[in-house]
Amino acid sequence: MALRNADELAFMRQAGRIAALTLEALKPHLQPGVTTAGLNALAEETLRSYGATPTFLGYQGFPSAVCISRNHEVVHGLPRPDVTLRSGDIVSIDVGATYQGWVADTAWTYAIGSLDATAQHLIDVTHDALFVAIAAAKAGSHLGDISAALQSYVESHGLTVLRELTGHGIGRELHEPPTILNYGRAGTGPILRPGMTLAIEPMVNTGPGWRTRLDADGWTVCTQDGSLSAHFEHTLLVTTGAAEILTSL
Ligand code: MG
């Protein structure tokens, strides 16, 4: 697991800021009637306007700039011109920004119009689970401490953590070691060290199942049981104190 030096971190901070600015640019457009392909086009334009490239475009052949996943879709949602947002939807947008060869990755789940109580609870718990996990990402702690904190927070709120996809190290590449499970045991795994850069990303279902299936489009990962799913992600730097979130404004 690579440790970043000051010069590298300057690029990663900028990549992170651009990814965050891109989500911010999309927010006013998250309205009923908007197509997911339209949001994707705006995201790509925003990333490029800041001198970044969309990390996901072409990654393993992915044909769009960002991933947009609605309702029972977990992640890797393929934007489409014939899919429009509707009131009551939850929609997660996952943005990767590559700036000067350095990558940042962030995701947020948004409400379209007003949500029912189940969807709102899912969003709230998944959001808070991300920050519980970030608080566990301290130098000297074990990687498993992050996983355990996340899982126990989610399950104590009656929701299900997804097991088939994970967080990851990040830097030169979108996905670097270590793999960060969203479930696990405290006190296990490698020790966290200052200078590590990690993408922590709880994916949480209303459940009861945590298994997924791949949509017919070949990209979009859906819950197998059709339950709702939310996704929040930040790229962060492990320090001697609280982790620094790189994908915030
Ligand atoms: Mg990620």
Side-chain angles (χ1 to χ4, degrees):
M1 281 171 274
L3 303 179
R4 309 301 171 197
N5 66 35
D7 291 342
E8 295 167 346
L9 285 171
F11 288 126
M12 286 195 70
R13 285 193 184 94
Q14 188 60 16
R17 182 171 164 76
I18 293 168
L21 285 166
T22 300
L23 284 179
E24 204 61 26
L26 295 181
K27 260 159 66 175
H29 300 273
L30 295 170
Q31 303 288 342
V34 170
T35 68
T36 55
L39 293 169
N40 178 71
L42 179 59
E44 177 163 4
E45 188 185 309
T46 306
L47 286 163
R48 294 193 190 281
S49 76
Y50 290 111
T53 53
T55 312
F56 303 158
L57 183 62
Y59 186 84
Q60 297 182 351
F62 189 73
S64 293
V66 296
C67 303
I68 304 180
S69 309
R70 298 166 311 129
N71 301 328
H72 67 288
E73 298 168 357
V74 181
V75 288
H76 307 165
L78 188 65
R80 287 168 46 153
D82 58 339
V83 170
T84 56
L85 302 183
R86 288 185 278 187
S87 184
D89 281 352
I90 63 172
V91 58
S92 72
I93 302 181
D94 195 346
V95 176
T98 302
Y99 180 77
Q100 302 285 324
W102 293 90
V103 185
D105 190 5
T106 186
W108 211 259
T109 301
Y110 300 95
I112 307 304
S114 57
L115 297 185
D116 65 27
T118 303
Q120 189 63 54
H121 178 65
L122 174 67
I123 286 191
D124 292 344
V125 170
T126 312
H127 172 274
D128 292 350
L130 172 60
F131 287 89
V132 165
I134 290 172
K138 292 181 297 202
S141 295
H142 288 266
L143 188 67
D145 297 350
I146 298 174
S147 310
L150 202 159
Q151 179 182 18
S152 105
Y153 185 83
V154 168
E155 292 180 350
S156 73
H157 288 81
L159 299 173
T160 304
V161 80
L162 193 127
R163 300 189 178 212
E164 293 166 331
L165 295 150
T166 68
H168 48 93
I170 184 167
R172 273 289 189 195
E173 304 291 335
L174 175 60
H175 294 123
E176 296 185 357
T179 292
I180 307 173
L181 300 176
N182 286 329
Y183 63 99
R185 286 189 12 245
T188 63
I191 302 276
L192 301 177
R193 297 172 61 194
M196 288 180 176
T197 44
L198 308 174
I200 296 182
E201 47 181 320
M203 288 157 268
V204 175
N205 302 346
T206 53
W210 51 260
R211 292 188 188 281
T212 61
R213 65 172 177 84
L214 192 61
D215 185 82
D217 68 17
W219 292 104
T220 307
V221 175
C222 302
T223 58
Q224 199 175 78
D225 62 8
S227 66
L228 293 176
S229 190
H231 178 213
F232 287 82
E233 177 177 22
H234 270 314
T235 295
L236 56 91
L237 167 69
V238 177
T239 76
T240 52
E244 178 186 337
I245 298 174
L246 302 181
T247 42
S248 62
L249 296 178

